[in-house]
Every structure is written in structure tokens, then in C-alpha cells.
């Protein structure tokens, strides 16, 4: 049997962090090495397992990465810089799921990849990674003859629209067809500008109730259409992908990796 991978969870008190603590506890392929919270967190020092209701883990909420072989962080833009700096200082590979990072933070991540392995994905779902591959394959085969429309749906509280994943899928469509995404991705249709322009890629957003996240890529041809849909039902989808990424990243040379690389 292979040894369990020691994982540090950074942002351990957050929604994703807590799910990760539960998933690591339930999976013999991993062992919790550290549960990192922000400096001054009110629960600093408390047992991480007790905080999330899974019994004593022996790993207190703390500020260091311990003996981790890999770190997984979901801290958002506010915690990202500290998470990255911690991994660089300790030479620990980083899986990052933080979204809404600015250009400077993305550049820091890219620069860090010359010293440690990094895998960043704004959507850690394995299903979405596969959807991207299927979409690329379909768009290469059908070319610009197919009218591509992307429809995404999320819960009523989502701050951004269209979703980062919807836009990433649109970019992937454009690139698969040799188009410049900036010139062909269209997120509004209204008034005199409404009619579809040949080759454009539409992205539409629905916001309702507690939808976790749905993305459909529709390819319309004359007489037929193909629809590729992914539905995330709960956060565990992102946790599973993040842990698969963590396992993949251990012992890799420094560099930038993508979820897609898991199947290469
Ligand atoms: P959250 O607010 O519940 O959790 C974030 C946690 O990070 C908080 O507990 C906060 O105290 C902590 N934190 C902040 N600074 C820190 C630091 N310096 N060190 C350690 N911890 C620190 O948010 P969430 O719902 O768990 O989401 C976190 C991020 O992950 C967001 O950017 C969200 O959009 C993203 N997210 C990504 C995916 C994906 O698939 N990539 C999925 C879900 C959420």
C-alpha cells in the first residue's frame, strides 16, 4: 500500500477548508499535516477535527504548513498571497482554488512555478475539466460552422456574471477554432446589436435559488444541435478535484500544471 499523502489545508476554517478537512479524514489516501488559518483567527490552537465535528485530529488550527508534502488553499484573494509565500518558503507544492485573483497575484503564481509545482483552477471539479476537453474536441471537429452558445446557472448570491468557468469555456472554444477570444466572446444581446454574428460565442447567465453551478455548451448546426452539460450538486465535487490535484502534484518538478494534466 502506498503511504498516505500529508496535506496542509490553508483556509481550514472556511467553507471549502472545512469540507477538505472532512474529506481528508474520510480518505486513507491522505493524512492531515496542517490546518492553517489566518493570523489572529479566534479558533487558533483548537483541534481542527473538533472544530469541524469529526472528532479529535491531533492537528490544531495553526499558522505553519507542518510536514506537508503538498498544500491546498481556498482562501480567496485576501489570503492567497500569504498562502503562496508560505509554500515558497517551505518548498511545498501548491494547489490553489482561490478565485477573483488580480493580475499581480496571477503573475506571482506564475513566477512561483519556477520554484515549486503549482496547480491553480478556478473550478476544481473533475467533471468540468472533462467538459472542457469534450468541448475542445467538438469545436475542433465542427469548426466555426457550429453556433456556440454557453449557458450557465448559479445561486442567487453569486457576485460575478458570467461565471469564470463560463468565460473559460468560451475562451477554450475560441482557441480550439483558431479565433481571438477577445473578438468573438459575447456576453450581452440587446436592441439593434442583438442579432447573432457568424462565429461569435455567446455566454448567458441565469441566477436563481441555491443552484451550485451548471454549465451547458450548445453547438447549433442546421437540423441538429449538440449540448454538453455539467451540473455540480455540492461542494464535495470541488474538494474531490482538489485532492486529486494534490496527489498529482506531489513529487512533480516545479512548474505550472492544470487539472487537465491529470489525464495526460
Ligand atoms: P470562505 O470565506 O468560507 O473561506 C475562506 C477562508 O480563508 C476564511 O476562513 C478566511 O479566514 C481564510 N483566510 C483568509 N486569509 C487567510 C490566510 N492568510 N491564511 C489562512 N486562511 C486565511 O470562502 P470559501 O467559500 O471557502 O471559498 C474560498 C475561495 O475558494 C474563494 O475564492 C472561492 O471563490 C473559491 N472557491 C473555488 C472553488 C474552485 O472550484 N476553484 C470552489 C469553491 C470556492
Amino acid at each position: 500500500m502506498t503511504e498516505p499523502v500529508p496535506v496542509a489545508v490553508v483556509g481550514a476554517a472556511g467553507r471549502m477548508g472545512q469540507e477538505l478537512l472532512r474529506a481528508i479524514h474520510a480518505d486513507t489516501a491522505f493524512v492531515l499535516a496542517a490546518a492553517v488559518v489566518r493570523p489572529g483567527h479566534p479558533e487558533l490552537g483548537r483541534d481542527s477535527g473538533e472544530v469541524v465535528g469529526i472528532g479529535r485530529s491531533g492537528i490544531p488550527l495553526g499558522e505553519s504548513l507542518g510536514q506537508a508534502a503538498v498544500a491546498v488553499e481556498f482562501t480567496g484573494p485576501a489570503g492567497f498571497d500569504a498562502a503562496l509565500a508560505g509554500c515558497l518558503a517551505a518548498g511545498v507544492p501548491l494547489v490553489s482554488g482561490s478565485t477573483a485573483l488580480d493580475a499581480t497575484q496571477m503573475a506571482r503564481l506564475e513566477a512561483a512555478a519556477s520554484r515549486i509545482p503549482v496547480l491553480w483552477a478556478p473550478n476544481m471539479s473533475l467533471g468540468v475539466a472533462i467538459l472542457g476537453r469534450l468541448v475542445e474536441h467538438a469545436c475542433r471537429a465542427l469548426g466555426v460552422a457550429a453556433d456556440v452558445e454557453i449557458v450557465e446557472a448559479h445561486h442567487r448570491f453569486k457576485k460575478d456574471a458570467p461565471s469564470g468557468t463560463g468565460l473559460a469555456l468560451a475562451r477554450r472554444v475560441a482557441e480550439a477554432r483558431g479565433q481571438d477570444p477577445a473578438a468573438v466572446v459575447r456576453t450581452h444581446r440587446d436592441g439593434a446589436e442583438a442579432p447573432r454574428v457568424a462565429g461569435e460565442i455567446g455566454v448567458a447567465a441565469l441566477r436563481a435559488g441555491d443552484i451550485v453551478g451548471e454549465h451547458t455548451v450548445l453547438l447549433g448546426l442546421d437540423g441538429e444541435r449538440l449540448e454538453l452539460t455539467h451540473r455540480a450538486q455540492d461542494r464535495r465535487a470541488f474538494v474531490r478535484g482538489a485532492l486529486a490535484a494534490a496527489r498529482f502534484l506531489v513529487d512533480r518538478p516545479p512548474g505550472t500544471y492544470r487539472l487537465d494534466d491529470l489525464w495526460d
Side-chain angles (χ1 to χ4, degrees):
M1 216 178 84
T2 50
E3 289 293 304
V5 177
V7 182
V9 175
V10 184
R15 280 170 296 221
M16 285 299 293
Q18 294 197 26
E19 285 293 347
L20 274 160
L21 293 181
R22 291 189 193 100
I24 290 168
H25 175 72
D27 190 338
T28 54
F30 300 97
V31 61
L32 185 65
V36 181
V37 292
R38 66 173 164 74
H41 192 281
E43 301 200 275
L44 203 65
R46 270 195 70 195
D47 185 89
S48 58
E50 285 174 358
V51 169
V52 297
I54 52 176
R56 203 173 159 67
S57 68
I59 303 288
L61 296 180
E63 294 184 48
S64 99
L65 295 176
Q67 297 299 308
V70 57
V72 180
E73 78 86 20
F74 284 86
T75 60
F80 171 82
D81 293 328
L84 182 62
C87 286
L88 277 171
V92 169
L94 172 65
V95 174
S96 170
S98 286
T99 61
L101 301 179
D102 63 26
T104 311
Q105 290 175 313
M106 291 307 293
R108 276 194 201 118
L109 186 66
E110 194 55 46
S114 66
R115 291 170 51 198
I116 55 171
V118 295
L119 188 154
W120 173 79
N123 189 320
M124 282 285 176
S125 138
L126 297 176
V128 162
I130 293 289
L131 174 66
R133 287 197 158 201
L134 296 174
V135 165
E136 189 176 316
H137 179 72
C139 290
R140 278 228 176 91
L142 296 174
V144 284
D147 293 334
V148 176
E149 295 285 311
I150 297 170
V151 183
E152 56 93 346
H154 284 86
H155 52 87
R156 63 168 76 92
F157 300 113
K158 187 164 174 63
K159 293 194 184 94
D160 53 322
S163 68
T165 303
L167 291 171
L169 285 166
R171 273 194 300 277
R172 195 143 179 185
V173 172
E175 282 157 13
R177 310 198 297 187
Q179 297 172 294
D180 171 12
V184 295
V185 175
R186 183 156 177 199
T187 56
H188 291 91
R189 280 205 186 96
D190 199 12
E193 304 294 314
R196 179 168 235 289
V197 175
E200 76 180 11
I201 301 159
V203 189
L206 313 181
R207 295 290 174 261
D210 61 355
I211 300 169
V212 175
E214 301 185 358
H215 293 86
T216 292
V217 180
L218 183 159
L219 295 95
L221 293 158
D222 291 333
E224 62 178 329
R225 72 177 194 237
L226 170 65
E227 293 182 22
L228 298 165
T229 295
H230 177 268
R231 296 194 175 93
Q233 278 132 221
D234 76 44
R235 256 189 207 98
R236 284 173 301 171
F238 310 124
V239 167
R240 191 175 339 100
L243 288 178
R247 167 176 284 282
F248 170 84
L249 223 52
V250 173
D251 298 332
R252 298 271 156 191
T256 300
Y257 298 89
R258 303 182 311 158
L259 263 191
D260 239 30
D261 296 331
L262 267 64
W263 297 283
D264 285 336

